[in-house]
Amino acid sequence: ASWPSFSEAFQKRCHAAFVRSAFTTSQLQREVQGVLATLATDVQEEVLTRQGYRLDLAGKRRGVEFALEVDGPSHYHEGTQQPNASTLLKRRQLRHFGTRLVVVPYWEWDAQNREEERRAYLERLLSHMQP
């Protein structure tokens, strides 16, 4: 059995509410953006996708567009390094829509103490992107 479809008007109201969701830019995200800006071009923050998701950061590297999510503690189950359901769903849907997604977990970023280490860390993550 298939699920009944929602009316177009209701779908539009849901999308509008999703897009209007409040967001904040964390200090962690600002730190990552500062280093990312030295490695990529066209770096933008809080980019809204056509589907209504907000990307922490987006940019280009060697002509390849990518999104970068800076995942602080609220993206994980308390006391673990396991992403919560909303974080997993967002990642899955972004990848489904063709987004080249790079994820920076807060504990990995925090383990890089110096600017050079953070730059090398992001270089490694970006080098694993598929063109």
Side-chain angles (χ1 to χ4, degrees):
S2 64
W3 288 93
S5 162
F6 293 113
S7 73
E8 189 172 332
F10 183 72
Q11 290 177 39
K12 286 181 180 180
R13 286 198 316 271
C14 289
H15 185 267
F18 185 55
V19 169
R20 280 194 312 268
S21 299
F23 65 91
T24 58
T25 302
S26 67
Q27 177 61 35
L28 174 62
Q29 183 175 323
R30 284 190 285 277
E31 288 175 10
V32 174
Q33 181 183 13
V35 177
L36 183 63
T38 69
L39 300 171
T41 59
D42 299 328
V43 175
Q44 301 172 30
E45 64 179 334
E46 303 303 337
V47 175
L48 191 61
T49 68
R50 188 173 59 81
Q51 296 81 20
Y53 277 111
R54 193 169 298 279
L55 306 172
D56 290 338
L57 300 164
K60 288 182 186 175
R61 180 163 165 88
R62 299 185 181 120
V64 177
E65 293 183 354
F66 66 91
L68 190 145
E69 286 292 294
V70 181
D71 287 351
S74 67
H75 290 268
Y76 299 91
H77 292 288
E78 189 173 342
T80 75
Q81 295 179 350
Q82 297 299 315
N84 60 33
S86 61
T87 297
L88 288 173
L89 179 62
K90 181 178 181 179
R91 290 178 187 176
R92 181 178 178 175
Q93 289 186 332
L94 287 171
R95 288 182 173 124
H96 172 79
F97 292 121
T99 304
R100 287 179 186 87
L101 185 60
V102 177
V103 177
V104 176
Y106 72 95
W107 67 87
E108 289 182 5
W109 183 258
D110 290 347
Q112 317 306 313
N113 296 313
R114 297 188 329 263
E115 182 86 12
E116 313 85 63
E117 292 174 340
R118 290 177 169 181
R119 184 180 165 92
Y121 169 73
L122 283 184
E123 284 268 14
R124 281 192 305 278
L125 290 180
L126 293 170
S127 71
H128 289 93
M129 283 190 312
Q130 300 297 319

